[in-house]
Amino acid sequence: MLETAGLTKRFGRVVALSDVSLRIDAGGSVGVVGPNGAGKTTLFDCILGVVEPDAGWIAFDGRRIDRLPTFRRGLLGIGRTFQRLELFGGMTPREHLLVTERVRGGGGRLWKDVVGLGRPAPRERREADDLLELVGLGDVADVPVEALNLGRCRLVELARALVGPPKLLMLDEPSSGLDDGERTILVSVLGRVRRERGVAVALVEHDLDLVTAVVDRLVVLDVGRVIADGPVDAVLADGAVRRAYLGSGR
């Protein structure tokens, strides 16, 4: 469903990505791991069009997308969360999803929202409520997000990325700042999302326990290059991976 070939990105003299090729099948789950500075987030940014690669190409669902603006790539069926939490104060989880649905749907009612005349359609409310139940936020649907803990705020972001719905969900450090209990909940929710929605998942994450609980395949980056790509157990046993990622050649 997603394929990149020869992606290269330089920032001055720093080569963030060097000839990176990646493939994610429909419904698949891939963890992109590696040490700090390996190029993981830059890879995501290139796929989504946040930054433009210096070389290479990107295809999604059989279509070249490397010349499309970011919002058009999202409308094709790519959802993403970011390392830094980005929510709107004063808004509830349900309101975050309703706004996202209104923007993605392009129903022509945004001007009514601006002047206070907009009302969610029954379908929009149902879809928002279904997503909130899916990620375990049904009981706080109408609570302002600033009253929620970090773990639940991360789930609001996840639910928002599922509006559409996407064919591919790209998660950049979703466990950042979470405690052990919140990570456990996140793993459970991601498993439920994959089972019930059939969405493909690409996951950048430093927590290897979380990664191995969620994905079936690992791609390891080191200094902008892919040094391993394969089933989780085989990749983690690779000596080059252990030296680059775990600091051990054993």
Side-chain angles (χ1 to χ4, degrees):
M1 182 172 59
L2 175 77
E3 186 173 8
T4 76
L7 280 189
T8 299
K9 179 62 185 178
R10 301 178 182 86
F11 296 100
R13 295 183 178 181
V14 176
V15 181
L17 295 175
S18 179
D19 194 30
V20 172
S21 296
L22 173 71
R23 181 185 178 95
I24 301 175
D25 294 329
S29 57
V30 177
V32 181
V33 301
N36 288 331
K40 304 181 295 295
T41 294
T42 300
L43 174 61
F44 270 28
D45 285 345
C46 286
I47 292 170
L48 265 295
V50 178
V51 299
E52 183 178 352
D54 299 310
W57 55 265
I58 306 162
F60 180 72
D61 211 13
R63 173 183 179 180
R64 286 279 297 270
I65 64 171
D66 38 273
R67 298 296 181 185
L68 295 180
T70 300
F71 79 94
R72 291 200 178 277
R73 302 185 198 198
L75 290 173
L76 288 175
I78 305 177
R80 181 181 179 180
T81 67
F82 293 81
Q83 291 182 25
R84 180 179 175 181
L85 194 66
E86 296 286 354
L87 298 177
F88 298 104
M91 290 177 59
T92 67
R94 179 183 282 120
E95 288 168 342
H96 275 81
L97 270 58
L98 290 172
V99 168
T100 306
E101 171 64 28
R102 183 64 55 87
V103 172
R104 288 187 64 92
R109 295 193 296 270
L110 283 175
W111 69 269
K112 292 185 178 180
D113 297 335
V114 172
V115 297
L117 297 177
R119 293 290 184 273
R123 175 191 59 81
E124 292 173 327
R125 289 187 64 90
R126 283 196 305 272
E127 292 180 359
D129 289 346
D130 286 347
L131 283 176
L132 291 172
E133 289 296 334
L134 177 67
V135 302
L137 294 177
D139 61 325
V140 293
D142 297 310
V143 176
V145 292
E146 55 265 41
L148 304 179
N149 62 27
L150 179 60
R152 287 195 155 187
C153 286
R154 289 284 184 194
L155 295 178
V156 174
E157 277 204 322
L158 174 59
R160 183 172 60 184
L162 288 167
V163 171
K167 301 173 184 177
L168 171 64
L169 183 61
M170 303 181 68
L171 308 173
D172 194 352
E173 300 281 4
S175 76
S176 179
L178 303 188
D179 61 28
D180 290 343
E182 290 166 337
R183 285 189 182 91
T184 299
I185 292 172
L186 177 63
V187 169
S188 175
V189 169
L190 289 176
R192 190 158 62 243
V193 166
R194 287 196 62 206
R195 289 192 305 273
E196 297 187 14
R197 296 298 171 108
V199 62
V201 172
L203 172 67
V204 164
E205 181 59 65
H206 283 291
D207 185 337
L208 277 180
D209 289 337
L210 187 150
V211 173
T212 55
V214 172
V215 307
D216 302 319
R217 191 172 119 239
L218 285 181
V219 174
V220 184
L221 291 176
D222 187 30
V223 198
R225 292 182 177 274
V226 175
I227 63 170
D229 182 348
V232 172
D233 291 343
V235 169
L236 291 180
D238 187 283
V241 171
R242 297 184 67 84
R243 286 190 295 272
Y245 191 72
L246 303 175
S248 169
R250 294 179 296 173

